[in-house]
Amino acid sequence: MQTRGQGPESQVLPPSAARKQPLSAGEIIVHAEKAVREPLSGAYFWLTLFFAVYCARPEDWIPGLHVIPLAKITGVCAAIGFVLSMRRSRRGLQKLPKEAHYLFVMILLLFLSAIFSPVWKGGAFSRTLDFSKVFVAWVMTYIVVTNFKRLHRIILIQTASVAVISIVSILKSHSHPRLRGVLGGIYSNPNDLAFAIVLSLPFCIAFMLKARAISRKVAWAFAMLVMAAALFLTASRGGFITLMVVVPVCLWHFAIKKQRPHLIIAAVLILSVVGVAGGQKLMDRFFAMSGEDLDTGLERSAHASFQERRQLIDRSLEGIARYPLLGLGVGNFMTFSGQWRDVHVAYLQIAVEGGIPVLILYLLFFARGFGNLRRIRRLPKIEPDIQLFVGALHSSLIGFLVGALFAPEAYQYFPYFAVSYTAVLLAIVKEQRDPESEFANGNAEVRLDRGIGAIASTRSLV
């Protein structure tokens, strides 16, 4: 017979229990839970590195890293770690939310559109294969991010990365008008860079409000100032319009509803200062839309861009009418248009290249993101930190809905990540409110066995 303090309970119970103070069954299970190693820690580690590489693009601004395929290495390692530890996951593939199914079917249809493309089958297939990686990242995020701490860190990586990118872009802006081509990939186009900045700004506000130390609050305020400056330097008209929608939504969530009037004053001051200091090019591009008094090359280029976008919209509508079911294939509209430009409306972009069924799935997918947030808000007594990020995610998704009207962002990962964050946050809240859900799948049997063993071993102490 085991002596007191030598059995399994000595590993899972606090000192008070070892001194013969009985604990309830629920308390014992809680301590047993703490003794069990968090599942999928290896996969989560590599997932965080993948997010850092994708969002920060260190190979573009850290010398020597461009020769290393960082994204592929971190992505493969994350996938391997995920597969090897799937059995210990709290959530299973068989219980993915509806938005994951929408995304999966959407990608399948894009592959079909590539196979039957009337333009270029090989190119469409290759680009669809590249875009399909977002589904792997989406599923891994949903299954691996099992608590709010992990979700907080993932969003922090994305937000801090965009802040760093803004700083690097400003420092290298002297030889890159409108910050065009300062970095590669998702930040090479000034409109894409502005889009990423606007979608990440709400998270900056959430992190600033969540921070307790004054130094961290100041750091996040500085990050927002730099990001706003970079956005104005891109002179992106679509980015500015999106910003003008996101800011009021953020202020509604963080200032008006929570009675923080100083945030409104701070937002007005920051936008005024940054606008006066770096908004001249942006203003010129807006005025150039009228076609009058085009005195500079920038104004003539801006007017030509505006006229070209109208033509591309008309051409995309022609493509949708001719190929409504499967579209042209991912990336093939540039060839079809004859102008080698994307249509600057994400909804038309996905429709003309994937077909109307893909557009419907696309809309349903993002509607689920709003639905997840609505379900969280309806729950009583939501923790303040969770409320903060619900507001940030809602602001970011609103920004996407508006920004998608002015930019070809159908295949950028950031909006898809935002929907995955809403699904993860909803799952976390449900698991917190229903402890039994932690034992529903994955490593439940191991945890339950340990909890029952702790209860049985403690009976001798009472």
Side-chain angles (χ1 to χ4, degrees):
M1 182 176 177
Q2 291 178 336
T3 58
R4 296 177 183 177
Q6 293 178 347
E9 72 277 5
S10 62
Q11 300 176 6
V12 298
L13 299 180
S16 60
R19 294 195 302 269
K20 302 182 181 181
Q21 296 181 7
L23 294 175
S24 67
E27 290 173 324
I28 295 173
I29 290 180
V30 169
H31 292 293
E33 285 284 309
K34 292 180 180 179
V36 180
R37 186 170 177 264
E38 189 68 28
L40 299 168
S41 57
Y44 176 71
F45 170 77
W46 287 107
L47 181 65
T48 57
L49 289 184
F50 171 79
F51 267 80
V53 170
Y54 177 81
C55 298
R57 294 193 62 83
E59 66 273 21
D60 283 350
W61 50 277
I62 298 180
L65 286 185
H66 67 281
V67 299
I68 305 174
L70 295 176
K72 292 182 179 179
I73 292 174
T74 55
V76 169
C77 289
I80 292 174
F82 173 71
V83 172
L84 293 178
S85 52
M86 261 300 296
R87 293 183 63 185
R88 295 188 293 114
S89 172
R90 294 180 184 177
R91 304 168 195 150
L93 292 174
Q94 70 278 11
K95 294 187 177 180
L96 290 175
K98 287 184 179 180
E99 52 268 35
H101 299 140
Y102 293 150
L103 181 58
F104 180 72
V105 177
M106 190 175 83
I107 292 173
L108 287 182
L109 291 178
L110 288 176
F111 274 116
L112 282 178
S113 71
I115 294 173
F116 295 99
S117 172
V119 181
W120 183 21
K121 295 177 174 60
F125 189 90
S126 176
R127 287 186 286 265
T128 302
L129 185 62
D130 186 62
F131 171 68
S132 66
K133 297 174 185 176
V134 74
F135 179 73
V136 179
W138 202 100
V139 172
M140 287 186 61
T141 301
Y142 179 76
I143 293 180
V144 171
V145 181
T146 53
N147 55 52
F148 184 72
K149 181 179 179 181
R150 286 186 173 186
L151 178 62
H152 177 277
R153 187 177 294 121
I154 288 289
I155 299 177
L156 175 64
I157 290 172
Q158 174 186 321
T159 309
S161 296
V162 175
V164 170
I165 289 297
S166 299
I167 295 174
V168 173
S169 298
I170 291 174
L171 292 177
K172 299 175 67 175
S173 63
H174 61 280
S175 58
H176 297 271
R178 295 188 58 205
L179 306 184
R180 185 184 300 276
V182 171
L183 300 174
I186 59 175
Y187 303 118
S188 59
N189 186 288
N191 296 307
D192 296 340
L193 175 58
F195 193 71
I197 289 173
V198 175
L199 295 189
S200 300
L201 275 172
F203 300 124
C204 286
I205 301 176
F207 284 120
M208 182 185 70
L209 295 176
K210 185 178 182 297
R212 299 183 183 277
I214 297 297
S215 57
R216 292 187 178 183
K217 290 182 179 293
V218 172
W220 282 115
F222 175 75
M224 286 188 284
L225 180 64
V226 172
M227 291 164 69
L231 188 148
F232 275 89
L233 288 176
T234 65
S236 171
R237 290 169 293 197
F240 178 76
I241 293 173
T242 307
L243 178 68
M244 291 298 99
V245 173
V246 169
V247 169
V249 178
C250 286
L251 292 178
W252 167 255
H253 282 293
F254 302 128
I256 297 176
K257 291 178 66 175
K258 299 300 180 181
Q259 298 182 352
R260 298 186 184 106
H262 59 281
L263 289 182
I264 301 177
I265 299 174
V268 172
L269 287 176
I270 290 176
L271 291 178
S272 300
V273 171
V274 175
V276 171
Q280 185 60 48
K281 289 183 179 179
L282 178 62
M283 185 182 301
D284 292 341
R285 282 175 56 80
F286 269 109
F287 286 140
M289 294 170 61
S290 66
E292 301 176 358
D293 300 326
L294 305 179
D295 299 326
T296 66
L298 175 67
E299 292 174 343
R300 289 189 291 271
S301 174
H303 178 69
S305 173
F306 174 69
Q307 295 294 331
E308 182 182 66
R309 292 183 185 187
R310 294 177 61 179
Q311 296 171 8
L312 289 170
I313 289 175
D314 293 338
R315 188 65 172 151
S316 68
L317 294 174
E318 293 177 13
I320 294 172
R322 289 178 60 181
Y323 307 100
L325 293 181
L326 292 177
L328 302 169
V330 175
N332 280 344
F333 176 75
M334 296 178 67
T335 305
F336 177 81
S337 68
Q339 301 181 29
W340 295 98
R341 293 285 189 275
D342 283 315
V343 57
H344 275 59
V345 181
Y347 307 112
L348 295 179
Q349 181 188 20
I350 200 78
V352 72
E353 295 183 349
I356 294 177
V358 173
L359 172 63
I360 294 173
L361 290 168
Y362 186 72
L363 297 175
L364 289 174
F365 174 82
F366 287 103
R368 286 285 298 182
F370 287 98
N372 291 337
L373 297 178
R374 186 165 55 250
R375 292 172 66 186
I376 295 173
R377 286 197 297 264
R378 287 176 178 175
L379 296 174
K381 299 181 180 179
I382 299 297
E383 296 178 9
D385 287 349
I386 292 179
Q387 290 179 359
L388 274 178
F389 284 93
V390 166
L393 284 167
H394 184 254
S395 302
S396 185
L397 285 175
I398 289 290
F400 163 73
L401 287 183
V402 175
L405 294 170
F406 305 100
E409 307 297 342
Y411 310 114
Q412 191 186 107
Y413 285 10
F414 280 178
Y416 298 91
F417 288 162
V419 176
S420 74
Y421 299 155
T422 68
V424 169
L425 192 58
L426 176 61
I428 290 172
V429 172
K430 291 171 64 177
E431 289 166 357
Q432 287 177 345
R433 290 169 178 266
D434 182 13
E436 292 298 322
S437 63
E438 297 182 5
F439 303 96
N441 50 51
N443 62 335
E445 295 180 0
V446 176
R447 290 171 171 247
L448 186 57
D449 287 343
R450 293 198 179 190
I452 294 174
I455 295 172
S457 301
T458 310
R459 289 177 178 173
S460 61
L461 298 177
V462 181

